[in-house]
Amino acid sequence: MATSSTDPASGSPPVAIVCVGMAGSGKTTFMQRINAHLHEKQAPPYVINLDPAVLSVPFESNIDIRDSVNYEEVMKQYNLGPNGGILTSLNLFATKVDQIVNLLEKRAQPDPQKPDRAPIDKILVDTPGQIEVFVWSASGTILLESLASSFPTVIAYVIDTPRTASTSTFMSNMLYACSILYKTKLPMILVFNKTDVKDASFAKEWMTDFEAFQAALQRDEESDALGGVEGAGGGHGGSGYMGSLLNSMSLMLEEFYSHLSMVGVSSHLGTGIDDFFEAVEEKRGEFMRDYYPELQRRREEREEQRKAARDKELGKMMEGMSVDQQQQQEQGQQRAAAAINDDDDEVDVASDDDSDDSDEEIKKEGLQERYQAAMGDNENSIVADASFAKYLHQQRQ
């Protein structure tokens, strides 16, 4: 049996980096930057594009969903809108996930026919901008679980830093990241993109210092009272119920922040990319240390459930076979008994036929006796010359 590529004893397997993020967060540009960075380091990654609606991507993909699924035709054939077309395209593409994993596993191993080609160390996966389509759909779950079953998998959640400057939008992004983390059950890196426009130091401070977030929330409430504008020194922090809700959520997410790595990058300038890959290596080790045993345990549970289901079906089949055998034996005994009864019936039928013949003869004899009695013993009489039919005619009259 082949050793799994995620077995720590088999060496260092390639890490799969799945980039997710809201539309407009700079996710595709970030993919281009990290792809170019790895090519510059003479370690080209294996790139997968899972966005069927994109017209063009600024990087070359090894596997592109657009080569297998025609997004526009899917919308026409199934009468769908843009989001429905993306979801259905992913569902159709998910049927090929086993082929994708097989290709990745082959590329992760040295090729005897091409000794100059080094095995891949990074797998980059670009996802649709409609983040809920990938994260919450069945096809997205299948793709993620298939990757995680063979390779260490890390979620890179790309955040638009300038649009997260207010406490309310920051908390919304954190809640979304929290839901993705617990939905995928995979290590996550928060990538605060566009740091060339807005520095991400405030986000790191809010994540590590509760009092700093409280102070920022207070400033946003005061800015709201003065009619402030979001992104221009605060605003939209909320007051009353909203302020209380943000306070409570910041306390709740304190434990959540401890499980995350946070990096600030600029996809435009290329700053922070080294920090991102350092975080990836850290999450790779975390996956192998914490997530891999849990993944193995869940896999063994599923295997036990499948085995129990197979044993149950096998038991039903064997029980059905034993019932069939018993029925066949009973039917054989019934046929044997029926054969004996048939022999008896043949004898009875013969005797019945004899009795029927004798009854007819008795009737004939009785009728003949009555005929002779009516004729009398005088054979020379005129009535003696009459036929038996004439006598019957007289009897009817």
Side-chain angles (χ1 to χ4, degrees), residues 9-62:
S10 64
S12 179
V15 58
I17 303 171
V18 182
C19 295
V20 299
M22 300 289 186
S25 62
K27 175 171 49 60
T28 301
T29 309
F30 174 71
M31 277 281 299
Q32 179 192 21
R33 175 59 66 177
I34 61 177
N35 182 38
H37 178 84
L38 291 173
H39 277 278
E40 183 182 353
K41 297 292 184 181
Q42 302 299 318
Y46 200 89
V47 183
I48 302 174
N49 174 44
L50 295 180
D51 189 352
V54 66
L55 295 178
S56 63
V57 290
F59 50 84
E60 185 177 353
S61 301
N62 298 95

Side-chain angles (χ1 to χ4, degrees), residues 322-350:
S322 63
V323 170
D324 291 341
Q325 291 177 355
Q326 183 178 358
Q327 290 178 349
Q328 290 176 0
Q329 292 177 356
E330 292 178 354
Q331 291 175 357
Q333 294 174 358
Q334 291 175 357
R335 284 195 295 268
I340 297 173
N341 292 333
D342 289 340
D343 294 340
D344 295 340
D345 290 340
E346 290 177 359
V347 176
D348 293 339
V349 168

Side-chain angles (χ1 to χ4, degrees), residues 35-304:
N35 182 38
H37 178 84
L38 291 173
H39 277 278
E40 183 182 353
K41 297 292 184 181
Q42 302 299 318
Y46 200 89
V47 183
I48 302 174
N49 174 44
L50 295 180
D51 189 352
V54 66
L55 295 178
S56 63
V57 290
F59 50 84
E60 185 177 353
S61 301
N62 298 95
I63 297 176
D64 198 325
I65 187 175
R66 296 174 299 171
D67 296 334
S68 302
V69 182
N70 190 322
Y71 168 70
E72 294 181 354
E73 284 299 320
V74 168
M75 286 198 298
K76 291 179 182 178
Q77 293 292 332
Y78 296 97
N79 297 322
L80 299 171
N83 287 346
I86 292 174
L87 178 59
T88 304
S89 298
L90 278 172
N91 290 339
L92 294 172
F93 189 71
T95 60
K96 302 178 180 293
V97 66
D98 56 334
Q99 302 176 27
I100 297 172
V101 173
N102 289 336
L103 286 173
L104 294 174
E105 289 178 344
K106 289 180 180 179
R107 289 290 286 110
Q109 302 296 330
D111 190 353
Q113 299 179 354
K114 298 180 180 179
D116 296 336
R117 187 175 68 178
I120 58 174
D121 185 59
K122 301 287 190 304
I123 302 168
L124 306 182
V125 182
D126 192 18
T127 60
Q130 290 77 359
I131 185 173
E132 67 280 356
V133 172
F134 181 79
V135 175
W136 300 107
S137 67
S139 56
T141 301
I142 291 171
L143 291 167
L144 281 177
E145 289 186 351
S146 299
L147 278 176
S149 66
S150 300
F151 309 99
T153 305
V154 178
I155 301 294
Y157 181 54
V158 183
I159 299 172
D160 187 347
T161 305
R163 299 293 298 173
T164 317
S166 70
T167 53
S168 59
T169 53
F170 172 81
M171 189 57 62
S172 298
N173 267 295
M174 294 302 102
L175 287 175
Y176 216 122
C178 180
S179 65
I180 294 172
L181 176 67
Y182 288 104
K183 175 66 169 61
T184 61
K185 297 181 176 64
L186 294 172
M188 177 180 288
I189 302 173
L190 297 182
V191 181
F192 282 85
N193 197 15
K194 304 181 183 179
T195 54
D196 54 312
V197 179
K198 173 73 176 177
D199 188 74
S201 58
F202 73 93
K204 186 173 183 179
E205 184 181 17
W206 288 353
M207 291 174 65
T208 55
D209 189 349
F210 171 74
E211 293 181 356
F213 181 79
Q214 293 295 313
L217 181 60
Q218 183 65 31
R219 289 195 302 269
D220 283 353
E221 290 177 356
E222 293 174 357
S223 179
D224 279 341
L226 297 175
V229 179
E230 182 182 6
H236 292 279
S239 59
Y241 170 75
M242 181 59 69
S244 176
L245 177 62
L246 292 176
N247 270 314
S248 301
M249 288 191 296
S250 63
L251 287 171
M252 177 193 69
L253 293 177
E254 187 175 2
E255 178 67 20
F256 165 70
Y257 294 147
S258 63
H259 296 283
L260 298 177
S261 295
M262 177 267 179
V263 294
V265 302
S266 171
S267 299
H268 179 65
L269 300 178
T271 57
I273 300 300
D274 289 329
D275 295 336
F276 170 74
F277 281 108
E278 289 179 5
V280 168
E281 291 304 315
E282 179 185 346
K283 291 300 179 181
R284 185 210 293 256
E286 181 181 332
F287 181 95
M288 300 304 294
R289 183 182 65 252
D290 301 331
Y291 288 81
Y292 180 74
E294 175 65 16
L295 183 65
Q296 287 292 92
R297 186 188 64 81
R298 289 162 54 191
R299 185 185 301 169
E300 290 173 358
E301 286 182 356
R302 288 196 297 268
E303 188 62 29
E304 289 177 359

